[in-house]
Amino acid sequence: MPLSRRGRGSRLAGSRAATSSLPRGALSISHAQLLTRRRHSSEQVPPESEPQADFRSGKWLQEPATGDARDSRQALRARMSSKHRSVSAAPLNFDASSSRGLSFFSMLDLDIPDVPGLHCEPLSDSPRHLTQQDTLSEAIVDKLIQSIQRGFNGELKGELEKLTFLGSLSSLSRALPYDETTESFIHSHIADIVHTLNVLVQEERPHSLSSPVRQEVFVTIADYSYQDVHLLFGSEDRAELFSLVIKSIITLPSVRTLTQIQEIMPNGTCNTECLYRQTFQAFSEMLQSLVVKDPYLENLDTIIKHLDPWLQSVKDHERERATAGMTQVLKCLSRHLSLKLPLRFQRLGHLVALMALLCGDPQEKVAEEAAESIHYLLHITLRLKYIIHDKKNQQSLKRAMTKCREFLELYSSAAKCFYSCPFRIAQAFEGFLDSNELCQFIMTTFDTLKNLNHPCIQRSAGELLLTLAKNAESRFEKVPEIMGVICAQLSIISQPRVRQQIINTVSLFISRPKYTDTVLSFLLCHPVPYNRHLAEVWRMLAVELPSTTWILWRLLKKLQKCHNEPAQEKMAYVAVAATDALYEVFLGNRLRAATFRLFPQLLMTLLIQIHHSIGLTMSDVDIPSGLYTEQEVSSEVTPLCFAMQATKALLLRTCCLQEFNIMEKNKGWALLGGKDCHLQGVFLLANALLERNRFLAQKVMYLLVPFLNRGNDKHKLTSAGFFVELLRSPVAKRLPSIYSVARFKDWLQDGNHLFRILGLRGLYNLVGHQEMREDIKSLLPYIVDSLRETEKKIVLSAIQILLQLVRTMDFTTLAAMMRTLFSLFGDVRPDVHRFSMTLFGAAIKSVKNPDKKSVEKQVLDSLVPLLLYSQDENDAVAEESRRVITICAQFLKWKLPQEVYSKDPWHIKPTEAGTICRFFVLQGEN
């Protein structure tokens, strides 16, 4: 039993009678070729009176093809007037003074919810009116199905059979709305139809056009799309067919080449240029048929996915065809837009960027097609954003619409000028794109930078990036991804202007506090030393003056954070990367003002980094996994070399040439990088800065007051070393004692002998300021205790301070100090030996008359040791002993014999030794 057919009755009787007598082979080749074209011209509608935005000049699509060609746009309108036509939205009108209908600008002046034209009537669900000419009889349907089945069975050997099959398949689509047999047959054989069409397209010659088979395939797909049977969506084999049919038309040689091929190899009466125009018109209508009823925009999303590689093709004719096809899709969609939620269109940002870039294409036809696409896309975007916006974003949408209006009004008298300028297009669309779409826009723009064959596209991409970054700076979310694309693409951009635009985009992101740390973190996660492209980014940062300090400070904080953490087994990689970044920034000198402003922090942080880097190699750095290969890590590259070169660059860029030269002449860099002499290098640089640039030295000193309390021991030691040297500055006496003397008291009791050395060195520098001596005297017990240290530097430093304070000591402290000094007589360290005697002599001189009797015994006890040391083999020790003996004699009011001052050894002149001994015996008896 055949399946029952919907709507059969008296309406179809006449049709059956009229067609029942057709022979089996009635579908001839001429009928198959012209079937669709006749159908196209069967429903003529008057041309639309609405003005159309068309920026193309002499475009072949505007001219009717010769022969049997029809105007595909007119045919499309004929189709739309039927079941598939909906109430179209008002097209964009760029004449602001026009009074015909509601202009785009008047829409913007109203509250969003009240904008007329944005609420589209839904598509009609009722079948179109069927006449006897529209319907197919049961016999015809059966013959068409048999013809199609023969095609499925592989009987499509020649062009005649192929066109007959396609004609039958296309004609059968007309019965879908009312015939259940047709509906059942088609839906049960979708896979067979798709497979057969795939085979037919593959059998066509890829580099020539000699038959209308391609054209009829496009027409067939369009016919079924209008009946809501999509042969290109829904499965992998359909997606494969979609890719194939697009490739089959896009990759054909240019029309000129096709014509030349025909001249060389004639193929009958077929006009290749005419056939190509008909084929491309059919292709355009096929694409339009996919979006006529696309309320969720998922079909548009798929079309963009398939056309995308061809829109970016390096071949001009392929790019032109893809752009023309996209223009027709957007034009059709803008006129028949009926959106419903949830929308599944995920490529708005990508499409806007791509079409905006194509507006600057070197090929005039491509640019004109893209301009028209942008015109329709702007209309679609406005409708789309209205549909999906919520009340919270209502004001934001109104602002975007107002901004868009301002741009369009500005160029209303020169629409072509507006649409040929990619960065102006970006300004118009920017307000409508959400954060994800903005990211798409950026990514797509960067992707086009690979197009090395067209420098003008690279220039357009650079302008687009900079424009969008400036106008939508606060709405980007995927900044790391954007930075990743920038770093990846920079190496292939050769044009200096474009490179600077890309770097300016980075500068714009990095200068915004919202993104600064994100951008810095990404840039710092690259191998050091930086390659020339990343080095150029650091050196060429173009940042407004107020932002320079912020950026440099945040970069500095990255490094300082590593110093503030407890010592780790391995150095943090970001410390090395930040140091190299600072070096590149100093070389570029674009942040000069900030460098001067942050000089104290920069200098001290780099000196601390030097201290942390001493003795390390890159194997001692915690390098992120996958950042380097083993071959990339050179043994010559060390964390210390990065810190050293950054410090040198800082001094040179801040005009500290004399300080730099002092370090060079006195091997200061070697001292700084030495494990046991780092503090000596710090002392040298601090003194050089104090002597040559007191103003900068004072700024550093004030910075160091809080700096001394931070970080680990290496951080504190380097800071303390610089700080204590700067205390020789007259400004040091203005510091409250809590920041100096009180701190040194803690250091003198610290378990680290280096801090004890620094505490004494700081006190020695402070004691030069008379105003500070009273505060320092409170530390005399700690200083005297330092004389018992085993560390030579500590003892000598304590002696130097006590020499300055000995005249102001109280007797108790003085006597205790003299006892301690007496124990140092004969110390194996010559310097300690000599200076202990010097201080002992100074102490004797400082004893006041009332106290002389109390120390007389100590003085007498010191005479014999001093006398013996006057014969020491170290001339300096011997000379100092004789000098102190004289002081003791004066204290005792003795007159020493001249033999005491003789430099000759006693064993050579024993008589002199006898004279000295008899003198001391006599003095003892008295």
Side-chain angles (χ1 to χ4, degrees):
M1 288 289 292
L3 292 172
S4 60
R5 291 171 167 80
R6 291 192 300 256
R8 286 197 176 180
S10 59
R11 287 194 306 163
L12 303 182
S15 178
R16 287 202 192 103
T19 58
S20 60
S21 60
L22 287 173
R24 181 178 181 82
L27 295 174
S28 66
I29 182 170
S30 61
H31 175 73
Q33 287 178 300
L34 301 179
L35 181 60
T36 303
R37 289 180 230 137
R38 288 174 181 173
R39 183 176 69 257
H40 288 178
S41 59
S42 64
E43 296 177 337
Q44 299 295 332
V45 296
E48 297 182 11
S49 60
E50 296 172 344
Q52 301 175 11
D54 196 343
F55 311 112
R56 294 170 287 182
S57 56
K59 189 175 66 172
W60 55 261
L61 275 176
Q62 291 179 316
E63 300 174 0
T66 58
D68 294 322
R70 296 290 184 268
D71 186 345
S72 65
R73 298 180 187 175
Q74 186 179 16
L76 177 62
R77 285 195 296 270
R79 288 179 180 273
M80 299 308 157
S81 65
S82 67
K83 167 184 177 180
H84 314 289
R85 181 178 295 275
S86 65
V87 179
S88 66
L92 291 177
N93 180 2
F94 291 97
D95 183 3
S97 61
S98 174
S99 58
R100 182 186 51 79
L102 182 65
S103 73
F104 180 72
F105 305 118
S106 63
M107 291 168 63
L108 295 176
D109 290 331
L110 302 176
D111 289 337
I112 294 175
D114 301 325
V115 176
L118 287 181
H119 301 282
C120 293
E121 296 179 13
L123 293 172
S124 172
D125 292 328
S126 60
R128 67 176 180 167
H129 177 69
L130 298 175
T131 65
Q132 290 184 349
Q133 293 179 346
D134 292 321
T135 58
L136 299 177
S137 68
E138 182 178 354
I140 291 297
V141 168
D142 291 340
K143 288 183 179 181
L144 291 174
I145 290 176
Q146 292 174 12
S147 174
I148 293 167
Q149 287 178 326
R150 286 195 295 273
F152 291 160
N153 295 331
E155 299 178 12
L156 304 177
K157 303 300 182 182
E159 182 178 322
L160 173 62
E161 289 81 1
K162 294 177 181 178
L163 293 174
T164 300
F165 169 80
L166 292 170
S168 299
L169 193 60
S170 182
S171 296
L172 188 62
S173 68
R174 295 165 56 189
L176 277 170
Y178 59 85
D179 190 87
E180 291 183 0
T181 300
T182 300
E183 182 179 17
S184 176
F185 175 79
I186 292 298
H187 285 292
S188 63
H189 289 81
I190 289 291
D192 295 327
I193 296 173
V194 171
H195 172 74
T196 306
L197 294 179
N198 198 312
V199 172
L200 291 178
V201 176
Q202 289 186 48
E203 289 177 352
E204 289 298 293
R205 295 177 182 176
H207 302 301
S208 64
L209 185 64
S210 57
S211 79
V213 172
R214 279 190 187 88
Q215 175 187 352
E216 292 303 320
V217 169
F218 299 151
V219 169
T220 300
I221 294 172
D223 284 337
Y224 279 88
S225 296
Y226 286 127
Q227 302 297 343
D228 293 332
V229 178
H230 293 292
L231 303 178
L232 304 180
F233 304 136
S235 63
E236 290 186 10
D237 57 336
R238 300 186 203 186
E240 182 181 346
L241 176 60
F242 199 178
S243 295
L244 184 63
V245 297
I246 290 177
K247 182 179 179 181
S248 71
I249 183 69
I250 297 292
T251 59
L252 283 174
S254 64
V255 177
R256 183 178 180 181
T257 303
L258 289 173
T259 305
Q260 291 174 347
I261 292 174
Q262 184 186 28
E263 292 174 354
I264 296 172
M265 302 182 343
N267 57 351
T269 59
C270 176
N271 185 315
T272 300
E273 183 175 356
C274 175
L275 181 59
Y276 170 75
R277 291 184 179 181
Q278 294 173 10
T279 303
F280 194 84
Q281 287 173 1
F283 171 71
S284 297
E285 183 175 346
M286 179 198 77
L287 293 178
Q288 294 174 70
S289 72
L290 304 177
V291 297
V292 167
K293 292 194 293 184
D294 188 16
Y296 305 107
L297 297 183
E298 56 185 333
N299 293 352
L300 175 63
D301 203 70
T302 304
I303 292 171
I304 295 171
K305 176 183 176 181
H306 286 283
L307 281 179
D308 186 73
W310 307 111
L311 290 168
Q312 302 181 65
S313 172
V314 296
K315 296 181 179 180
D316 294 338
H317 66 278
E318 292 181 353
R319 210 165 56 255
E320 179 185 344
R321 289 167 183 164
T323 309
M326 181 55 69
T327 301
Q328 295 304 310
V329 168
L330 295 175
K331 179 179 180 181
C332 176
L333 184 63
S334 70
R335 292 183 173 182
H336 304 88
L337 199 61
S338 180
L339 299 177
K340 296 179 182 179
L341 295 177
L343 295 177
R344 298 186 179 94
F345 182 41
Q346 304 297 327
R347 299 172 185 266
L348 179 59
H350 172 77
L351 184 59
V352 172
L354 198 53
M355 302 315 294
L357 285 167
L358 289 173
C359 287
D361 197 276
Q363 290 296 313
E364 184 179 357
K365 290 183 178 180
V366 175
E368 290 172 344
E369 290 284 0
E372 188 170 351
S373 289
I374 285 291
H375 169 79
Y376 298 121
L377 184 57
L378 187 57
H379 177 211
I380 294 169
T381 301
L382 178 64
R383 296 279 305 284
L384 185 151
K385 291 301 177 179
Y386 170 73
I387 290 293
I388 65 175
H389 93 282
D390 54 34
K391 293 182 179 180
K392 294 180 180 179
N393 297 327
Q394 182 165 316
Q395 292 303 317
S396 175
L397 181 58
K398 288 185 70 174
R399 285 193 296 270
M401 294 170 69
T402 303
K403 186 176 180 180
C404 179
R405 176 188 63 186
E406 291 171 355
F407 282 118
L408 298 180
E409 284 179 337
L410 184 62
Y411 299 102
S412 61
S413 61
K416 187 172 183 179
C417 175
F418 172 79
Y419 284 102
S420 64
C421 186
F423 77 88
R424 290 171 183 155
I425 294 171
Q427 289 176 313
F429 275 93
E430 168 268 318
F432 298 114
L433 302 181
D434 61 29
S435 60
N436 186 53
E437 291 161 349
L438 288 171
C439 185
Q440 288 180 11
F441 189 106
I442 292 287
M443 297 296 191
T444 301
T445 306
F446 271 117
D447 196 49
T448 60
L449 293 173
K450 299 176 184 176
N451 198 340
L452 302 180
N453 293 336
H454 296 292
C456 64
I457 293 182
Q458 282 198 355
R459 289 194 294 271
S460 296
E463 292 176 354
L464 271 180
L465 287 171
L466 200 54
T467 301
L468 196 68
K470 286 180 178 178
N471 287 274
E473 59 185 20
S474 63
R475 295 190 289 117
F476 287 97
E477 290 183 359
K478 299 182 180 180
V479 174
E481 290 87 342
I482 295 172
M483 294 306 302
V485 176
I486 289 177
C487 294
Q489 302 293 350
L490 202 56
S491 61
I492 65 174
I493 303 170
S494 56
Q495 296 185 62
R497 178 185 172 187
V498 179
R499 289 181 70 86
Q500 187 57 55
Q501 287 174 329
I502 302 305
I503 293 173
N504 288 350
T505 303
V506 178
S507 303
L508 199 63
F509 279 122
I510 203 173
S511 64
R512 298 303 180 260
K514 180 179 179 181
Y515 307 122
T516 303
D517 286 340
T518 302
V519 176
L520 287 177
S521 296
F522 184 87
L523 293 177
L524 293 177
C525 194
H526 285 80
V528 291
Y530 295 111
N531 61 40
R532 65 184 183 89
H533 306 293
L534 273 176
E536 184 182 5
V537 171
W538 288 115
R539 296 179 188 181
M540 301 300 290
L541 286 174
V543 183
E544 296 177 359
L545 187 60
S547 300
T548 56
T549 304
W550 164 255
I551 294 171
L552 201 54
W553 183 71
R554 292 308 303 168
L555 179 56
L556 193 60
K557 279 292 181 183
K558 296 280 186 184
L559 181 53
Q560 289 177 348
K561 184 178 179 181
C562 301
H563 301 161
N564 291 334
E565 296 175 352
Q568 302 292 326
E569 184 178 347
K570 286 192 172 186
M571 175 178 284
Y573 180 77
V574 70
V576 183
T579 305
D580 194 29
L582 286 171
Y583 168 70
E584 299 296 347
V585 168
F586 297 152
L587 287 189
N589 212 23
R590 292 296 188 94
L591 308 183
R592 181 187 176 107
T595 304
F596 274 98
R597 190 174 294 115
L598 295 176
F599 175 82
Q601 293 92 328
L602 289 167
L603 178 62
M604 292 313 306
T605 303
L606 289 173
L607 290 177
I608 293 166
Q609 177 63 16
I610 288 176
H611 197 173
H612 280 84
S613 304
I614 293 172
L616 300 184
T617 64
M618 289 303 290
S619 61
D620 299 311
V621 178
D622 188 14
I623 299 174
S625 176
L627 193 61
Y628 288 91
T629 62
E630 291 185 6
Q631 293 76 15
E632 287 179 325
V633 183
S634 171
S635 58
E636 298 179 359
V637 175
T638 65
L640 182 61
C641 74
F642 291 117
M644 282 291 187
Q645 69 181 8
T647 306
K648 293 177 182 179
L650 174 64
L651 292 178
L652 294 175
R653 285 307 188 196
T654 51
C655 304
C656 296
L657 300 180
Q658 295 184 33
E659 294 85 338
F660 182 87
N661 290 333
I662 290 173
M663 293 293 289
E664 289 282 327
K665 292 177 182 177
N666 294 280
K667 300 181 180 179
W669 305 118
L671 292 174
L672 271 177
K675 184 176 181 180
D676 298 322
C677 52
H678 170 72
L679 286 177
Q680 295 179 42
V682 172
F683 297 155
L684 179 62
L685 181 56
N687 280 303
L689 189 66
L690 187 59
E691 291 174 10
R692 304 297 180 181
N693 200 327
R694 292 200 167 216
F695 175 71
L696 277 180
Q698 291 167 8
K699 288 182 66 177
V700 174
M701 184 176 68
Y702 284 122
L703 162 76
L704 287 171
V705 171
F707 227 61
L708 294 171
N709 296 323
R710 301 175 188 167
N712 52 36
D713 280 353
K714 290 184 178 180
H715 181 290
K716 292 176 180 176
L717 282 171
T718 302
S719 304
F722 213 95
F723 178 71
V724 298
E725 287 304 294
L726 297 181
L727 293 179
R728 296 190 298 111
S729 168
V731 179
K733 59 189 177 184
R734 301 178 189 172
L735 287 175
S737 62
I738 190 175
Y739 298 130
S740 54
V741 177
R743 179 169 280 140
F744 296 151
K745 178 183 177 180
D746 295 334
W747 290 359
L748 290 177
Q749 302 174 76
D750 196 283
N752 189 332
H753 75 280
L754 292 175
F755 278 108
R756 299 199 295 276
I757 292 173
L758 292 174
L760 291 169
R761 192 178 183 96
L763 288 172
Y764 176 75
N765 290 331
L766 274 183
V767 83
H769 308 299
Q770 291 293 332
E771 298 86 346
M772 302 298 296
R773 291 196 174 189
E774 283 301 318
D775 292 329
I776 296 173
K777 283 172 63 176
S778 63
L779 300 183
L780 278 174
Y782 300 99
I783 301 172
V784 172
D785 285 344
S786 299
L787 296 174
R788 299 187 179 93
E789 289 275 358
T790 57
E791 180 66 38
K792 173 184 173 181
K793 290 182 180 178
I794 295 178
V795 177
L796 292 178
S797 297
I799 290 173
Q800 294 298 322
I801 299 169
L802 293 171
L803 283 171
Q804 300 292 323
L805 299 174
V806 67
R807 294 183 181 277
T808 61
M809 288 183 189
D810 61 85
F811 176 73
T812 303
T813 304
L814 191 65
M817 180 186 73
M818 291 176 69
R819 287 192 296 270
T820 304
L821 290 171
F822 183 75
S823 66
L824 295 175
F825 290 179
D827 194 283
V828 294
R829 297 164 293 185
D831 289 343
V832 173
H833 186 176
R834 179 164 65 95
F835 285 110
S836 65
M837 291 188 297
T838 302
L839 181 55
F840 189 82
I844 294 173
K845 287 183 177 182
S846 301
V847 176
K848 297 180 175 59
N849 289 329
D851 302 317
K852 284 186 176 181
K853 196 67 175 174
S854 301
V855 298
E856 185 175 323
K857 186 176 184 303
Q858 288 190 43
V859 175
L860 288 171
D861 291 342
S862 67
L863 287 176
V864 174
L866 289 171
L867 188 60
L868 293 174
Y869 295 136
S870 68
Q871 290 291 300
D872 197 276
E873 61 184 6
N874 187 310
D875 292 341
V877 172
E879 183 63 33
E880 187 63 24
S881 295
R882 288 191 287 270
R883 192 183 72 82
V884 176
I885 288 174
T886 303
I887 295 173
C888 290
Q890 291 173 353
F891 179 83
L892 298 171
K893 298 180 180 180
W894 291 357
K895 185 177 181 180
L896 296 173
Q898 289 300 316
E899 286 80 359
V900 172
Y901 304 106
S902 175
K903 296 180 181 181
D904 296 329
W906 290 345
H907 66 274
I908 296 176
K909 296 181 178 181
T911 57
E912 292 183 358
T915 302
I916 295 171
C917 289
R918 284 193 296 270
F919 171 79
F920 279 102
V921 169
L922 290 173
Q923 293 299 324
E925 293 175 353
N926 294 332

